Amino acid sequence: MSQALSVPVDLLLSILIGASATAFLTDCTQVQRDLQRVPGLPGKSVLADTMCPALLELHMNTPTQVWDAPKQDETLQLFQQLVQKCKQRAKVQEDERQLLGLSDNEPISIPFPGFL
């Protein structure tokens, strides 16, 4: 019985130690910078195509006084920067569709080299 219990306990401890080490060693600033770059990357991006419409809808449905909050909130700043990048991505995609004569719902890639 004790051997049957030791495998799940070992597995749980291994996952806990791995998750703790990952959280401790993750550079959150770098993760934020990488996340901000996603909407501007060239080509198709499943992450941007999934994330951007949700972020833009959330931004439109949030009272404006939230965006006027003090600028020291790093999470709010990250969100606002992501919204701006998503708006820029949508504009680039719209321009490309018009240039190529495609319909509004046609999937489109961001041309190389993307945008910053």
Side-chain angles (χ1 to χ4, degrees):
M1 175 84 167
S2 65
Q3 283 184 322
L5 188 59
S6 72
V7 172
V9 170
D10 286 348
L11 181 62
L12 180 64
L13 285 175
S14 296
I15 291 171
L16 181 62
I17 291 169
S20 298
T22 300
F24 178 72
L25 297 174
T26 299
D27 181 359
C28 293
T29 305
Q30 184 62 41
V31 171
Q32 287 177 347
R33 276 183 274 182
D34 290 345
L35 186 59
Q36 288 173 352
R37 291 183 45 221
V38 167
L41 295 175
K44 291 185 181 181
S45 169
V46 174
L47 181 58
D49 290 343
T50 304
M51 174 180 68
C52 284
L55 286 176
L56 292 174
E57 183 179 348
L58 180 63
H59 186 261
M60 285 186 341
N61 294 329
T62 302
T64 55
Q65 57 266 35
V66 171
W67 311 124
D68 297 334
K71 302 298 182 191
Q72 294 89 11
D73 187 343
E74 291 180 22
T75 303
L76 186 58
Q77 287 178 358
L78 172 64
F79 182 80
Q80 289 175 323
Q81 291 166 355
L82 280 170
V83 166
Q84 291 307 314
K85 292 280 187 170
C86 287
K87 285 180 180 180
Q88 191 175 0
R89 182 179 184 87
K91 176 70 173 127
V92 169
Q93 288 177 322
E94 179 184 329
D95 292 347
E96 282 294 305
R97 282 189 191 98
Q98 287 181 352
L99 183 67
L100 299 172
L102 300 173
S103 66
D104 289 344
N105 59 355
E106 190 76 29
I108 193 83
S109 293
I110 299 296
F112 185 80
F115 58 89
L116 297 175

